[in-house]
Amino acid sequence: MKPAGIFQRVKAAGLVLAGRSLNQHELAHHFDRGGSAERPTRPYSQVVAVFACVRARAQAIAGMPLTVSTLDDQVLESGPVVELIERPNPRMTRRAFWEATSAIIDLFGSVLWVMELDTLGRPYQVVPVCPAQMEAVIDRRTGEVLSWKYRPAGAPSSFRVTLSVEQVHQVIDPDHENPHDPLQGLSPRKAVQLAINQYYKSDLANEASLDNGVEPGGVFTMDGTPTEPQISDVRSSLDERRGVRQRRRHLVLYGGLKWQTMGTSFKDAEFPELKRMARTDICSAYNVPPSVAGYYENDNRAHADAADRMFWANTVVPRGSRFAEEWDEAVLSKWEGDRSLRGQEARRRAVTFPQRCNRGYRAGKREAAGRGSALFSWFDSSTVPAIQRANLELVEQAKGWFEMGVPLNAILAATDAPFEEVKWGNDGYKPIGLEAYGTDTLGTINDPDGGSPESALLPETEPQGGDGSRSGPRGASAGAD
């Protein structure tokens, strides 16, 4: 049975449903206030590099389907857990849920999953919530979180809904420099705030330069003192020339007035270089290669492909494993003993070979076996082209080690390559004929001509002897009859 919970209370109060999670732009607009005219108040919507990095990471995570499997290599295709994954709450699809989860944690350092629980304590709805909407009620004596105060989207600042600890799960990127506040996360945006400010100021300088017709600053000088009407006329003339469309418009000067340039050009101020450096820092903080964020510049196709593989292998796949572990702890563990996951009504299928070789699947299976759980979730990246190309590259490297005599199973174990061990993989092989080390196959060669076994490995022809005859490859005489 599903009791009336937070969503019903929020709806009864006439507020925005919690199921309608704020989108990324609304999050930045409503909960990222502060700053000044020369500092971005909403970096996600004001700084294109931040937007590109956050979007790239969010879309990559959301592009991989979350799958639930068993330790005996079965994939669940029906049941309440699968339905919850496909529709985490009435207002969000699976893709929208993971995009919001990824974007919120990238912008604020943490994300909170607010869950509706049935009478058995099992989640049947989950909503990603920004930490600016949540306030922890902490026991001052022990530091333990007693409950949470939640402010729904659109609610006045004084409105709060009390949530139990069981209804909230926090996914956090901890701030290791501030261990005294374990609930406060450190987002990449905060870590690279200085570079974001520089990037933003470079854009402001560029815009101001364009507004001024890309003209450097300067002063008017004259031997005497200009009258007020003259000063007013000069100012009007300058205002008429302001803007890109008025560039090159004539400036009328009074007799004796001289123009002296004082400002430097846009190039001399190194704004383009400063912007490139700030953009590199932003991409580095988010662990997104510039080409993945859309900045190709001097990259060729090979560099872009390599960056794409690195992004998926080093950023997206490990992040997917982390999110899957959090989902297991917050949601899947509460359904562990439910009969609907084990009975005949739970439709299943066998895990395919590409899925069994998936890094996320193998990592999730190891974690589940370690904690004694029969179920685990994982993000399926087996159909991602960048992962497929990375696997082919790993195969090429493994081929060189195998030709050096390294056993195949040892290569698979050392590289975590996307293949399963084989029965013959514990032996090393010589390149010639794939002969196993430790075996003497020369003694087993049956030469019908009666030659030695070693002579079977000699070239087909041999130099002629002194008597005009030549020896064949098996020691038989090749002279004239």
Side-chain angles (χ1 to χ4, degrees):
M1 180 178 178
K2 299 177 181 179
I6 175 179
F7 298 163
Q8 288 75 14
R9 283 183 284 164
V10 170
K11 184 176 181 181
L15 300 171
V16 179
L17 279 174
R20 179 193 173 276
S21 176
L22 293 175
N23 61 38
Q24 298 169 17
H25 177 77
E26 288 173 326
L27 286 171
H29 179 73
H30 288 287
F31 303 113
D32 194 19
R33 303 280 184 180
S36 62
E38 296 184 356
R39 180 174 179 267
T41 57
R42 301 183 300 274
Y44 175 76
S45 58
Q46 292 177 303
V47 180
V48 64
V50 176
F51 174 85
C53 290
V54 172
R55 181 183 59 178
R57 287 159 65 99
Q59 291 181 345
I61 285 292
M64 298 185 297
L66 184 66
T67 308
V68 178
S69 297
T70 63
L71 290 180
D72 58 350
D73 295 335
Q74 296 288 316
V75 173
L76 268 63
E77 291 188 310
S78 65
V81 171
V82 176
E83 294 174 0
L84 180 60
I85 289 176
E86 293 302 321
R87 179 68 68 170
N89 61 72
R91 299 299 183 91
M92 300 185 75
T93 63
R94 172 190 60 82
R95 181 181 293 272
F97 175 88
W98 289 111
E99 281 187 354
T101 293
S102 176
I104 292 172
I105 197 172
D106 281 345
L107 291 172
F108 299 95
S110 67
V111 61
L112 298 102
W113 291 340
V114 175
M115 297 174 286
E116 285 279 28
L117 308 177
D118 61 14
T119 54
L120 298 179
R122 302 171 302 188
Y124 63 89
Q125 290 184 22
V126 186
V127 177
V129 173
C130 171
Q133 297 175 262
M134 301 289 289
E135 179 183 356
V137 179
I138 301 176
D139 188 331
R140 295 183 179 180
R141 183 176 57 87
T142 63
E144 181 182 0
V145 178
L146 301 177
S147 62
W148 292 86
K149 298 292 185 180
Y150 169 54
R151 178 166 66 92
S157 59
S158 59
F159 184 87
R160 294 289 187 274
V161 177
T162 301
L163 304 175
S164 66
V165 176
E166 290 75 18
Q167 288 182 279
V168 179
H169 179 81
Q170 187 177 28
V171 184
I172 186 171
D173 281 341
D175 183 356
H176 297 290
E177 287 188 343
N178 185 21
H180 302 291
D181 190 359
L183 301 178
Q184 181 67 36
L186 178 62
S187 70
R189 187 208 65 185
K190 293 180 181 178
V192 76
Q193 187 64 55
L194 182 59
I196 292 176
N197 293 344
Q198 293 174 355
Y199 191 100
Y200 183 67
K201 291 177 181 178
S202 298
D203 279 341
L204 291 181
N206 191 13
E207 183 181 13
S209 177
L210 292 175
D211 288 343
N212 195 40
V214 202
E215 290 188 358
V219 295
F220 290 103
T221 62
M222 65 180 301
D223 295 335
T225 302
T227 64
E228 288 297 332
Q230 289 177 332
I231 295 176
S232 178
D233 289 345
V234 170
R235 286 177 176 172
S236 295
S237 181
L238 289 176
D239 290 339
E240 291 175 358
R241 301 177 69 254
R242 185 167 298 166
V244 177
R245 295 183 181 275
Q246 305 301 326
R247 180 173 169 79
R248 304 296 184 184
R249 184 166 179 164
H250 296 295
L251 175 61
V252 179
L253 299 178
Y254 285 90
L257 279 176
K258 298 179 181 179
W259 171 259
Q260 182 177 354
T261 301
M262 294 185 62
T264 58
S265 67
F266 187 79
K267 182 177 180 180
D268 292 337
E270 298 184 350
F271 288 124
E273 184 63 26
L274 178 62
K275 189 172 181 177
R276 278 193 295 269
M277 293 173 60
R279 185 182 65 208
T280 300
D281 288 343
I282 294 172
C283 291
S284 177
Y286 280 100
N287 203 17
V288 176
S291 60
V292 175
Y295 301 105
Y296 292 95
E297 290 187 304
N298 297 325
D299 286 343
N300 55 32
R301 176 67 180 270
H303 291 163
D305 287 346
D308 196 33
R309 294 195 299 270
M310 292 172 58
F311 172 65
W312 279 92
N314 300 334
T315 302
V316 180
V317 172
R319 201 164 195 244
S321 297
R322 193 268 175 95
F323 282 163
E325 291 177 6
E326 298 286 352
W327 182 265
D328 288 349
E329 180 182 352
V331 178
L332 192 59
S333 62
K334 310 297 176 47
W335 286 91
E336 184 75 27
D338 190 74
R339 288 182 298 177
S340 65
L341 303 180
R342 306 177 186 276
Q344 296 180 354
E345 62 271 19
R347 188 171 69 251
R348 302 185 181 187
R349 64 169 174 81
V351 178
T352 63
F353 176 76
Q355 290 178 328
R356 288 201 307 270
C357 298
N358 189 280
R359 286 176 56 188
Y361 175 80
R362 288 180 292 165
K365 188 175 182 179
R366 288 193 298 265
E367 291 290 336
R371 64 175 181 265
S373 176
L375 297 173
F376 64 95
S377 58
W378 53 284
F379 283 93
D380 187 2
S381 62
S382 59
T383 59
V384 177
I387 295 296
Q388 295 172 347
R389 292 194 297 268
N391 291 338
L392 290 177
E393 187 176 275
L394 186 59
V395 168
E396 291 297 327
Q397 296 176 355
K399 179 181 178 182
W401 296 327
F402 181 75
E403 292 176 348
M404 295 170 60
V406 180
L408 179 59
N409 288 345
I411 297 175
L412 297 180
T415 61
D416 198 24
F419 300 100
E420 296 178 324
E421 292 187 354
V422 294
K423 295 181 179 179
W424 52 268
N426 293 324
D427 297 324
Y429 290 86
K430 298 176 182 179
I432 179 170
L434 292 180
E435 175 187 343
Y437 282 104
T439 59
D440 184 11
T441 57
L442 291 178
T444 63
I445 296 177
N446 183 17
D447 188 356
D449 295 331
S452 63
E454 290 83 354
S455 64
L457 303 177
L458 297 178
E460 290 296 332
T461 59
E462 292 290 334
Q464 293 185 353
D467 59 353
S469 66
R470 58 186 178 85
S471 297
R474 295 176 179 151
S477 175
D481 294 335

